[in-house]
Amino acid sequence: MSQKSLLEVGDLVTQFKTDRGIAKAVNGVSFDVYSNEVLGIVGESGSGKSVTALSVMRLIPNPPGDIVNGSIKLEGKEILDLPIEEMRELRGNEIGMIFQEPMTSLNSVFTIGFQMKEGIMLHQEVDEATAMKKSAEMLDMVGIPSPEKRLNDYPHQFSGGMRQRVMIAMALSNNPKLLIADEPTTALDVTIQAQILELMLSLQKQREGASIILITHDLAVVAETCDRVIVMYGGKIQEIGTVRQVFKNPLHPYTHGLLESIPHPVEGSRLHRLKAIRGNVPNIMELPKACKFNTRCDYALKGLCFDVEPELAEIEPGHFVRCHLYEESTELTTKEKGIELSV
Amino acid sequence: MSDKRLLLEVKDLKVHFPVYAGIFQRKIATVKAVDGVSFTMYRGETLGLVGESGCGKTTVGRTIINITKLMFHDAEITGEILYHMPNGEVIDFANLTKKKMRPYRSEVQMIFQDPYSSLNPRMTVQQIIEEPLTIHRPEMSKEDRRKRVLMLLDRVGLQAEQGGRYPHEFSGGQRQRIGIARALATNPDLIICDEPVSALDVSVQAQVINLMLDLQEEFDVNFLFIAHDLSVVEHISTRIAVMYLGHIVEYGGSEQVYFNPTHPYSRALLSAVPQADPDSGRATRTILEGDVPTPLNKPTGCPFRTRCPIARPDCANGFPSFEEKESGHWVACPYVEAGVEA
C-alpha cells in the first residue's frame, strides 16, 4: 500500500486473568491505520473490539488485564515501551478518545469549562484565560450554542447529544492525529446519531492527516461513515477490506450472516423470516478451538475448520479474510459440496 | 373495517407526572409524558409504536398493562384503555385498581428490554416461567404446570435441563427467550413488547425476531411492539404509529409509514436511520437541528414545530388534527401531502 501508516498494530495479544482462567480478549490482532482515513472496527459483544482500542491507549487495567504481546507504533514510534509519564503525554495529545456513555466519562461535580481547560493546560503551555478561550472555541466548533455561557454548566445540564459533542470537543482540543471513538452514538437516538456522525466526519475532513478509529456494533453506521472496516469475532480479525469490498462482496461466513440478519425492508414483499446466524456469541472463556466461528458456521468443514485455525489471507488487493473456504486446497471440496457463497 | 375484531381501543390517553420541589413539596410543573394518544388495535395484527427516547412510547405500554400507577403512585392518568376480551366483554384498564386488574393480568403480559434486570437472579428458569402460572392458574396441578414449562422451554429453543439453571448462566439472547417463555406462560391475548431486541447482539437479534413471529402464530397472541429501530418495527408490524413528545404524529400500514413517511418528523426519523449499504448516499439526508424538547416544557400546538423544516406561525395554535392522506394512512400535519416532498 502506498498510503502512509499513522498507527501500526502488530500481533497484539491482550489477556485478562479471571477466577476461571485466562480470558484471551484480543488474540493476535494486526492492522494499520492510514493517514486521513476513518477505520471501522465492528463486532458483537466479546469480540475484542473495545479491548483493542483500550490497548492502543494503554488503558487496560492491570491487573487483571495485560498486554502480553505485540507492538503498537504511532508514526513509527513504539508506544508499548513508553514510560507512564510519556504515555500520559501522548494520550489526549496525539491520540484522543471518545467513549460510549458521555455521562460516565465526564466528572459530574466540575463544570465543563473546568474539565476542558484542565485537558488543554496539561498538554499545551498556555495560561488559564487562553485555555478557557480555546475551550469556548472548541464548543463553538462542535455546534454548542452560546459556548462561553455553557462553559459554566455542569454535565447534567446538557442533553445526551450535547454531552457527546462536549466529549468530541474535549478529545479534539489538543488536535490529536488519531481519534478513537468507542461506540460514540450507541446511547443516542437516531436523529441525534446522524448529527454526531456528521459532525465527526466534517471535523475529520477539516483536519489534515487526522484519522479516526470508529468502534461499533452497527454495520449501517460503518457503511455510511468509514473508508475501511475490520470485522472482529472471538478476539481475532476475521475480515478486513474497504467498506465497498466488505459490504458488496463479503467473504467471511460471519460477515455474510451479520449483513443478512439486519432487516432490509423491501416495498411490496413481506419477508416473514430473517436469515439469522444460529447459536449464541461464544463466551470469551470458552472460545472454540481452531476457527472461532466454527460453532455457528453453516459451511464449517469437518477435519479442517475444527482442527486448524485459518490464516488471514489476501483475496483481492486490500481485502483479507480468515477462512478456509478461500484457500486453494479447499476450493474443490466446497464446490463438490455445492456450497456457494454469494449474497 | 367491520369484519376486523377489536382488541384494544386507546382513547385520548394522558399520563402526566407531577413534579414537586421546595420544602413544602409544592407541585411546580407537570411532565406530560403521554398527552392525548388514541389508537385502535385489531385482533391478528401487530402494532408497532416507534419514537425516540422520551416520546412516551414506553409509558403508553406500561399504562396499558396498568403498572404506571404502581411505579409512580402520583401519576395522573386520564382517558380510556378499552380491552375487548375474546368473549366480547369490554373492560377499561385506565385507573383500574390493582385488585380489580388482577383477573386480567394473565391476558396482558409484557416482555422487557433488559434481559439482565427483568429476570429474578435467585430463581431458576423453571421457577421464573412457572411463577405466572402459580399466580394466575391456581387450579393447575403441579405436574401440569411443570409440563407447560417444559413445553414453553422447548418452544423458545431451550433445553429441558436448562430449566434448573439460573439466569446468570445464560447469554443475553437466551435470557430474552426465557422472558418470552414467561410472557407466554398464561397464554395471554396481548403481549406488550418493550424494545425486546435492542439490547441484543445483531446476530442474535434476528433469531429472537424470527422466534417471536413463529410464536405469535402458534400461540395466537397479539403484539404491541415498542421499539426505536424502524427497520425492525417494519419487519414485525402490520401497522405503525410514530410518536413524538407524547403524541402520535402519524399512523398507517407499516409499508405506508416506512416507504412513504409523510409527517415531517417521520421523514426526518427515517432519513436518519443509517443503511448497511455504502451506496445508499448520505448526501440526501435531512438532519434535524437541535434536541428533542423536554416533555416538562413542551412547545404549544404541534410539538414538533421547533425543529420542523416547514413550520409556520399557525403551527403554535393547538395540536393539528389527523388527516387521512391515503387510505388508512393518517398524519397530524395539515401542510404535507403523502408522497410529495416537503
Side-chain angles (χ1 to χ4, degrees), chain A residues 210-223:
Chain A
S211 301
I212 298 179
I213 298 180
L214 179 72
I215 294 162
T216 178
H217 69 282
D218 190 336
L219 286 156
V221 166
V222 169

Side-chain angles (χ1 to χ4, degrees), chain A residues 44-45 159 162 189-195 197-198 201 217-221 223-225 243-244 247-248 258-259 261-281 296, chain B residues 52-53 171 173-174 201-207 209-210 213-214 217 228 231-232 234-238 254-255 258-259 265 268-269 272-280 282 285 287-292 307:
Chain A
E44 299 180 283
S45 45
S159 68
M162 283 295 167
D189 282 317
V190 276
T191 59
I192 308 297
Q193 164 170 287
Q195 291 174 358
L197 292 176
E198 200 65 31
L201 287 186
H217 69 282
D218 190 336
L219 286 156
V221 166
E224 295 205 346
T225 52
V243 161
R244 184 157 295 276
F247 282 81
K248 293 291 178 190
L258 274 186
L259 284 168
S261 56
I262 312 172
H264 293 283
V266 178
E267 197 159 8
S269 77
R270 283 194 68 78
L271 274 168
H272 189 61
R273 296 179 65 85
L274 292 169
K275 275 197 89 178
I277 302 179
R278 63 191 160 86
N280 293 297
V281 181
R296 305 174 74 192
Chain B
E52 298 180 280
S53 46
S171 68
Q174 289 171 315
D201 278 313
V202 188
S203 71
V204 180
Q205 234 182 46
Q207 293 173 1
I209 292 172
N210 284 341
L213 288 170
D214 291 346
E217 222 160 89
H228 68 277
S231 46
V232 170
E234 198 281 335
H235 186 83
I236 210 160
S237 311
T238 358
S254 69
E255 290 204 347
Y258 192 88
F259 293 106
Y265 174 66
L269 185 67
V273 179
Q275 301 295 324
D277 177 0
D279 294 332
S280 69
R282 261 190 101 72
R285 172 149 302 167
I287 293 189
L288 283 180
E289 300 278 318
D291 287 317
V292 184
R307 299 169 82 194

